[in-house]
Amino acid sequence: MARTIRTYPDPVLAQKAQPISEVTDTIRQLAAEMLELMYAHDGIGLAAPQVGEAVRLVTLDLSGPKKREAPRVLVNPVLSGHEGQVESEEGCLSVRGYRTTVPRAERVHLSATDLEGNAIEEDCDGLLAICLQHEIDHLDGILFIDRISRLKRALYDKRVHKWIKQQQRTPSE
Ligand code: NI
């Protein structure tokens, strides 16, 4: 069955994802499918829960879906050493029709492994730091709309409920 992008309020997006104990063919296949879906939907980052798999796997390509020059796969990524503060406008393939500014750390340190089991230790800033915080939040069941004001969130939830009602009505009309 082909995987699709899960959207809020799908419960898999609120689950805490499990660590990957071994990179198997299944994990490699999942990473390949995630990169494909990420590019197909014009994304620069994707986390496994967004395709319905609650495991700690992230794909990234900051060069974007047109260039596709810098695909990266992170297994069990962990961030530490958060420093500074920035506000960045974010959107998410799992949060339809919404973008807003989210407070993030300016710099983070990334620890992870790649699909070959090589250790990654990297100091990150700029877009990479923001993207990593967004994607690793997904692994902890957190969406960027969990980090905005209660008022903004309530307004967005109202829109989502309206869309869901419309979808439920459509087939019978
Ligand atoms: Ni996202």
Side-chain angles (χ1 to χ4, degrees), residues 50 91-93 134-135 138:
Q50 293 182 272
C92 177
L93 297 180
H134 177 116
E135 300 311 332
H138 275 300

Side-chain angles (χ1 to χ4, degrees), residues 31 34-35 38 44-47 57-61 72-73 135:
M34 283 169 60
L35 277 169
M38 183 181 85
I44 56 170
L46 196 68
L57 185 69
V58 162
T59 57
L60 293 174
D61 190 339
R72 297 189 72 175
V73 177
E135 300 311 332

Side-chain angles (χ1 to χ4, degrees), residues 102-164:
V102 183
R104 297 287 186 188
E106 198 176 358
R107 289 175 296 279
V108 290
H109 181 82
L110 167 69
S111 305
T113 56
D114 64 17
L115 286 179
E116 284 74 46
N118 302 307
I120 298 166
E121 295 290 343
E122 205 173 309
D123 289 316
C124 310
D125 59 11
L127 182 59
L128 177 58
I130 290 161
C131 190
L132 285 170
Q133 290 170 80
H134 177 116
E135 300 311 332
I136 290 162
D137 265 358
H138 275 300
L139 304 183
D140 294 322
I142 299 166
L143 299 174
F144 80 92
I145 51 172
D146 295 321
R147 296 193 180 279
I148 61 178
S149 76
R150 284 170 68 177
L151 175 65
K152 278 184 171 176
R153 174 60 181 269
L155 289 171
Y156 180 68
D157 278 337
K158 222 172 166 178
R159 278 166 62 189
V160 171
H161 289 137
K162 214 166 136 187
W163 290 334
I164 292 170

Side-chain angles (χ1 to χ4, degrees), residues 71-102:
R72 297 189 72 175
V73 177
L74 303 174
V75 178
N76 299 326
V78 175
L79 297 181
S80 59
H82 296 65
E83 272 181 13
Q85 218 191 331
V86 283
E87 295 267 324
S88 76
E89 196 190 73
E90 297 183 24
C92 177
L93 297 180
S94 295
V95 178
R96 289 172 295 168
Y98 194 59
R99 296 181 68 82
T100 194
T101 51
V102 183

